Amino acid sequence: MTRHLLHPGPAAPSVRTSPAAPPSRSAPPARAALARPVVRPAAFVLTGALAAVTTAACLPTFFVDGVLLGPAVMRGSARGTALVLLVLGVPALVGLMTAVRRAGPVWARRAFLAWVGTAAYVVYNGVMLVLGTPFNALFLLYEAMLALGIGALVALLAGLDPTTLAPPRDRAPYRAVGAWVGFVATANTLVWLRMVVPALGDPADAAFLRGTGLTTFPTHVQDLAFWLPLALVVAVWLWQRRAWGYVLGSALVVYYLAEAVGVGVDQWMGSRADPASDVATMAGAYLFAVMAVVGVVPVVALLRHPDGAAV
């Protein structure tokens, strides 16, 4: 009864095995699903209010005679600014914040970056309307427009993690756009200093103020104090391929594009209001029209790859 333990039966036939298959290459890891940018509710509320107040300020600025004061060329330029805010700035604000809520993740990311740039454009021109037009009945609306624009920018950027929006360093033209931003900021700074420095010897006869009715030039004030230093910092961050460089650089080139359109229109309308003035000229309108066309290139270059891949 214990035989099978002492004398096992015949061995089972051997099974012939094939040579081990070479290890297969592991599949590339799946890309994490993109998510929409996380935006604070305050940004939507402030931007909605900004769009409403900008409309309330710019409709009478453009359409109501007698609201604007000062020389004809400056009134024409201010009306041009109001027109572009109405037909470009306000629709862009509303459309972009709607896209952030409803569009697919890639387009929502693009919309968020353009939203920041458009809010910056409105802030810039809020300063121009407050300081570049003589005090008038719309002053408090201009002030509200400026305050809401600043608030919207703070709500959009405060606490933002830029690494959630920036593509990999090798998937977007960080350095090319950084060089462009640095060139524009440097050239703009030199042009303004070329106007300002010679006038310091005789401030009462500053050439750039003649015919404007202004005592100082708000473009110089805000550009030299804030926008141009910011652009130079952003250019360096883009060159270093930093995430904040991508986020702020994308917003900045959108702002540049909108501002080129705005200046082109206000030059055209200022020149039509007073063809004899050299404060606003048709040549300036043509120059900024060209700059607007050129400005499309860096916008497309940065916003083309919000997820690091061609779409």
Side-chain angles (χ1 to χ4, degrees), residues 251-280:
L252 195 63
V253 295
V254 169
Y255 152 75
Y256 278 168
L257 175 57
E259 186 60 15
V261 174
V263 175
V265 172
D266 77 45
Q267 286 282 304
W268 175 66
M269 293 195 66
S271 179
R272 289 197 59 179
D274 184 359
S277 174
D278 59 2
V279 173

Side-chain angles (χ1 to χ4, degrees), residues 67-110:
V67 169
L68 293 171
L69 306 175
V73 65
M74 299 299 289
R75 298 197 305 271
S77 292
R79 292 182 69 240
T81 296
L83 177 63
V84 178
L85 285 165
L86 284 171
V87 302
L88 176 63
V90 170
L93 285 175
V94 175
L96 291 167
M97 70 174 178
T98 302
V100 169
R101 279 189 181 275
R102 300 184 180 179
V106 170
W107 280 102
R109 287 163 170 253
R110 290 173 173 150

Side-chain angles (χ1 to χ4, degrees), residues 173-186 234-236 238-239:
Y174 284 81
R175 289 194 164 183
V177 178
W180 167 250
V181 171
F183 167 76
V184 171
T186 301
V234 170
V236 171
L238 279 166
W239 190 262

Side-chain angles (χ1 to χ4, degrees), residues 149-224:
I150 293 171
L153 281 176
V154 171
L156 286 166
L157 296 175
L160 177 70
D161 179 0
T163 61
T164 62
L165 293 171
R169 294 183 173 189
D170 60 343
R171 304 302 286 273
Y174 284 81
R175 289 194 164 183
V177 178
W180 167 250
V181 171
F183 167 76
V184 171
T186 301
N188 200 167
T189 301
L190 292 175
V191 169
W192 288 167
L193 291 177
R194 185 174 178 270
M195 297 170 68
V196 170
V197 172
L200 296 177
D202 187 9
D205 192 34
F208 59 84
L209 292 175
R210 294 172 192 160
T212 66
L214 302 175
T215 56
T216 193
F217 205 45
T219 306
H220 295 163
V221 174
Q222 60 175 331
D223 280 5
L224 293 173

